[in-house]
Every structure is written in structure tokens, then in C-alpha cells.
Amino acid sequence: MTRVASGALTEIPLSAGSTGIRDRLALGVEHILGGVDHLLFVAGMILLVRGWRRLVATITAFTVAHSITLGMTVLDVVRVPGPPVEAFIALSIVYLAFEILRRDDATAGSARPWTMAFAFGLMHGFGFAGALLDTGLAGRDVPMTLLLFNLGIELGQIAFAAACGVVLWTAYRLLDTPARRARLDRAAASASAPSPASGSSSGSPDSGGEGSAIRRAPGGNAVRPGRRAAVAAGPWPAGW
């Protein structure tokens, strides 16, 4: 599911200077950008998580987790066979897709996405380690090679996440038409309308009817719930 840069790292020691450093950084970037499984998981986190702070926390948890297992495997503290790792990584993508489709705020994937990202990141780290070990490692260069490879992974991950953000932001701007905003407003008004059994007047400001569909912001400007929800969601389409 992933590919590795050609050539063993033992043939390009760190003593080669910038060539050895560049080769190890490039290996990490190539591995993350050439691994569809890892990219799908990162893209899934971007689609699932709402809000910049929550997204940063989720990606950070994923980074910390896979860095832990990557280091432990390369330093020969723990070893896990490759086939179960690949199977579990595939399972993590399926689970993430299920969370995106269900979008239930009560589940850990939606309410606390960083815990899910950390748990699955541990297994993704074993996958990263397998790619690095397959290239061959010189004993004295292992710590620095591990650091540079992991840094390359993070650079590739940041580049991919930024590209996804640009694409989603552009798509949101193209889809954010007056007609779409009107549909969101109508849906929000319908959701806040009282049930017939409540007996509340639909025109009362305190009721859940049309009168409550428009709120007053601190500055006195009217803000519809649907629009407020779309803004609070950040750059992602409110219906996603």
C-alpha cells in the first residue's frame, strides 16, 4: 500500500553531508505522499473534524502517536508483523469513513477525535517503521535517520493537509450561493419550530417557531441559526 524511495540508506551515510540529510527527508515525504492509506486517513480526519483548533489537536495527536511507535520499532523496542499492521490501517480508514457518514456527536470519533487519531496513529507508526526498516539502516546513523525520516513524514503530511484545506475552502466558496444559504435558513427554522403539542405561538420570540429563527447578535444585527452554524463550522461546508 506504500512505496519506498529506491536505494538503501546504508549506501548514503549521513557523513555525506547534505546529500544524506536530503535523502532521508525525501524518503519520509515520499512515503507519506506515496501511501494512499495514510493520505486517506489524514483526509478523513479533515472531513470529520469541525473547527481549526480541534483539527490541529487531532492531527497533532496522530503525529505524536505514530512518532512513538515509529521510534520504538526502529530502535528495536517492539516489533509487530507487517500483515496485521496493514490490515489494521485499512480498518482505521473504514472506521473513519463510517464516522464521517454517521456524524454522530455522541461517538468518540466526533466528540473526541484526537483520541481516535491517537489510537489509530499508533498503528500507522508501525507502517511507517516498516518502510524505513526496509531501506536498511546504519547503526550509528539510526537516531538521526529516524528524526529526519519522521520530519519528512510531517512535512508531507502538512503539505497534503494544506492542499486539502485549499480544495475544501474553494469548494465551499463556490457552493456558498444565496440559494444554498436560503435552504440552510429554512432547514434551521424548521428544526427550531415547536411541535404541535407544545401549544406555543409560532410568532412568539420565546417560542421555537419562525419568530425564534432570527436571533439578535450583540451588535443588534439579525443572525439566522443556519448561517451562524455555517460560520461556526469554519471553512468547511456546513452540510458536510
Side-chain angles (χ1 to χ4, degrees):
M1 300 178 72
T2 55
R3 59 193 180 94
V4 182
S6 59
L9 291 181
T10 52
E11 299 176 1
I12 309 177
L14 283 172
S15 58
S18 61
T19 301
I21 295 174
R22 185 171 60 250
D23 184 78
R24 285 155 174 79
L25 284 172
L27 178 60
V29 173
E30 180 179 351
H31 180 67
I32 185 69
L33 295 183
V36 178
D37 45 2
H38 303 304
L39 293 183
L40 284 175
F41 190 83
V42 174
M45 289 191 295
I46 294 173
L47 289 174
L48 176 66
V49 181
R50 298 294 183 88
W52 288 108
R53 292 182 180 179
R54 289 167 58 86
L55 180 59
V56 170
T58 301
I59 294 181
T60 300
F62 179 70
T63 298
V64 171
H66 73 62
S67 298
I68 292 173
T69 48
L70 170 60
M72 293 178 65
T73 303
V74 172
L75 297 176
D76 205 21
V77 175
V78 63
R79 288 292 177 91
V80 178
V85 170
E86 295 292 345
F88 197 90
I89 290 175
L91 178 63
S92 71
I93 298 171
V94 173
Y95 176 81
L96 188 55
F98 178 72
E99 287 285 338
I100 294 172
L101 293 175
R102 182 171 58 169
R103 198 171 291 284
D104 183 359
D105 292 338
T107 63
S110 297
R112 297 177 300 279
W114 43 86
T115 60
M116 175 202 64
F118 186 87
F120 286 129
L122 293 173
M123 194 56 63
H124 280 255
F126 289 122
F128 292 144
L132 181 58
L133 291 173
D134 287 343
T135 64
L137 294 171
R140 63 180 182 178
D141 291 344
V142 168
M144 187 57 66
T145 296
L146 175 61
L147 175 63
L148 293 172
F149 176 75
N150 199 36
L151 180 59
I153 288 176
E154 304 319 318
L155 291 175
Q157 183 173 279
I158 291 172
F160 178 74
C164 288
V166 170
V167 170
L168 288 174
W169 184 85
T170 303
Y172 175 55
R173 290 304 177 187
L174 293 176
L175 294 173
D176 191 26
T177 61
R180 179 175 178 273
R181 290 197 296 269
R183 288 195 300 270
L184 286 173
D185 291 342
R186 288 195 298 269
S190 299
S192 61
S195 61
S198 64
S200 300
S201 173
S202 60
S204 172
D206 295 329
S207 67
E210 185 65 24
S212 64
I214 300 178
R215 308 294 183 186
R216 291 287 170 182
N221 297 323
V223 180
R224 289 184 178 274
R227 186 60 179 160
R228 185 172 62 249
V231 173
W236 317 136
W240 286 17

